[in-house]
Amino acid sequence: RARMEDPDGFHRALIHQLFVSFEYAHNFAVTTVEPGRTPWFYEASAGWAEWELFRKGSTSLHQQYFASMFNSAPQLALEQPEGDLAPLADEQHAVRAYIWPFFMQQEAGGSPQPIYDAWKATDGVTSWPAFHAAIDAQRPFATSFQDFAVRNLNLDLGAATSPGYHDLDPNFAPGSTPGLTYDLFLERPQAADARALGGPGGPGLRPLSAEYDHVVVDPASGIRTLSLDFGGLSPASGAGVTVLTQAHDGTWARRDVAPGSRLDLCFDNAGDEIDQLYVIVGNHQRMTDFDTPATSSLSGSYTVAAAAAC
């Protein structure tokens, strides 16, 4: 009743609840391992429908769901279920995950069909693994989640981050960036310094979550080589690694690095001289059991080293 005083908010709420009814027409039986916890795609799809079916309200929707909520907690699993038994921050995360259907639509050239196809594919499915596999089949996480993680940086860095969400909806403003796990300012050469995934203590990355780290090189530091060693991440771990580097002329480049390998940037080489970079590590594995989510987390670390010569 209170929302009726806000025409746009009421319009969004009406679409959201009606879309949930359509979802229940396809599947009302699936559960996670805990009764009362609904798989994330219910709320995520309904949040997406608010955008798809009411573009007039998209500015406030992106601000509420993405800028103020989703990107403030990139370490939360995309597939965190919704329900009364979940901690408040996690419970709200399900509707924040509207950004995955939004991403699916953008990857399909702007067509909403993959979201509808995902719901059709869930007809009659009762187990969480089968339900999530139906969603995964429309836009596989293994091949798409890293691009999703990069897009969620939500910075317009030219070709390095193109396309951006604003290319699908001009009301989606770039600039709301995810919280950083590490923010490093290099003032001098240094030996290899380990960065444990998830932050100090190494809690790791939950399934379908990402970590964002920032490194700035002081121009007066005397650094001529920057080395990032991802040997602490197994190639079979489900990790994706992207390094976005900014050259002295301001141009950004995207470098996808294989887990288990390293990236050496010698500033004497054209294209390798940099002022700053972002390291984006994503975990494209799906959660296997909500009772023991840690078993699906991505553990490990990578190192950052700087030298005065190449």
Side-chain angles (χ1 to χ4, degrees), residues 27 30 39-42 119 122 125 127-136:
N27 196 309
V30 66
W40 66 284
F41 204 64
Y42 284 86
W119 279 105
T122 69
V125 169
S127 73
W128 170 243
F131 181 83
H132 210 181
I135 301 166
D136 197 358

Side-chain angles (χ1 to χ4, degrees), residues 5-50:
E5 298 178 1
D6 174 9
D8 286 359
F10 178 72
H11 202 143
R12 283 177 50 192
L14 182 62
I15 290 171
H16 186 110
Q17 300 307 327
L18 182 59
F19 200 83
V20 169
S21 298
F22 294 154
E23 294 168 359
Y24 288 162
H26 285 284
N27 196 309
F28 190 70
V30 66
T31 61
T32 59
V33 293
E34 292 185 18
R37 303 190 84 177
T38 305
W40 66 284
F41 204 64
Y42 284 86
E43 279 296 292
S45 298
W48 162 84
E50 296 178 41

Side-chain angles (χ1 to χ4, degrees), residues 235-276:
S237 63
V241 179
T242 297
V243 180
L244 300 172
T245 60
Q246 185 189 40
H248 292 334
D249 64 2
T251 303
W252 286 86
R254 173 173 173 170
R255 307 167 192 256
D256 292 319
V257 185
S261 63
R262 59 183 290 150
L263 175 64
D264 294 306
L265 299 169
C266 171
F267 296 1
D268 294 339
N269 298 330
D272 279 356
E273 74 289 355
I274 68 162
D275 292 333
Q276 61 175 318

Side-chain angles (χ1 to χ4, degrees), residues 59-293:
T59 298
S60 60
L61 181 143
H62 296 315
Q63 177 61 40
Q64 178 185 358
Y65 289 163
F66 183 83
S68 298
M69 297 172 69
F70 184 86
N71 246 14
S72 66
Q75 74 280 6
L76 289 180
L78 178 71
E79 56 187 331
Q80 180 65 42
E82 178 270 335
D84 293 338
L85 299 180
L88 181 60
D90 290 2
E91 179 180 347
Q92 295 174 339
H93 195 63
V95 72
R96 307 174 186 186
Y98 88 101
I99 197 63
W100 179 258
F102 187 88
F103 172 81
M104 292 171 68
Q105 180 166 352
Q106 186 170 27
E107 292 297 281
S111 170
Q113 196 60 45
I115 297 89
Y116 301 142
D117 289 344
W119 279 105
K120 292 175 184 177
T122 69
D123 285 347
V125 169
T126 58
S127 73
W128 170 243
F131 181 83
H132 210 181
I135 301 166
D136 197 358
Q138 308 307 315
R139 174 61 55 180
F141 294 113
T143 55
S144 298
F145 188 78
Q146 192 61 23
D147 287 337
F148 175 69
V150 172
R151 205 159 303 173
N152 288 339
L153 182 63
N154 199 34
L155 290 177
D156 186 357
L157 305 181
T161 55
S162 181
Y165 289 134
H166 59 278
D167 292 312
L168 179 59
D169 182 357
N171 290 330
F172 201 116
S176 172
T177 57
L180 298 173
T181 301
Y182 297 103
D183 196 1
L184 182 62
F185 183 68
L186 295 177
E187 299 180 274
R188 62 185 64 85
Q190 65 171 46
D193 184 23
R195 293 285 182 258
L197 294 187
L205 289 181
R206 298 186 190 186
L208 300 185
S209 72
E211 171 177 320
Y212 298 83
D213 303 331
H214 187 215
V215 179
V216 176
V217 179
D218 185 344
S221 65
I223 293 172
R224 301 305 302 161
T225 297
L226 191 61
S227 299
L228 305 174
D229 189 342
F230 298 98
L233 304 179
S234 167
S237 63
V241 179
T242 297
V243 180
L244 300 172
T245 60
Q246 185 189 40
H248 292 334
D249 64 2
T251 303
W252 286 86
R254 173 173 173 170
R255 307 167 192 256
D256 292 319
V257 185
S261 63
R262 59 183 290 150
L263 175 64
D264 294 306
L265 299 169
C266 171
F267 296 1
D268 294 339
N269 298 330
D272 279 356
E273 74 289 355
I274 68 162
D275 292 333
Q276 61 175 318
L277 59 82
Y278 286 95
V279 177
I280 303 173
V281 182
N283 180 5
H284 67 246
Q285 299 269 33
R286 286 192 273 132
M287 193 175 291
T288 55
D289 186 347
F290 284 105
D291 278 340
T292 55

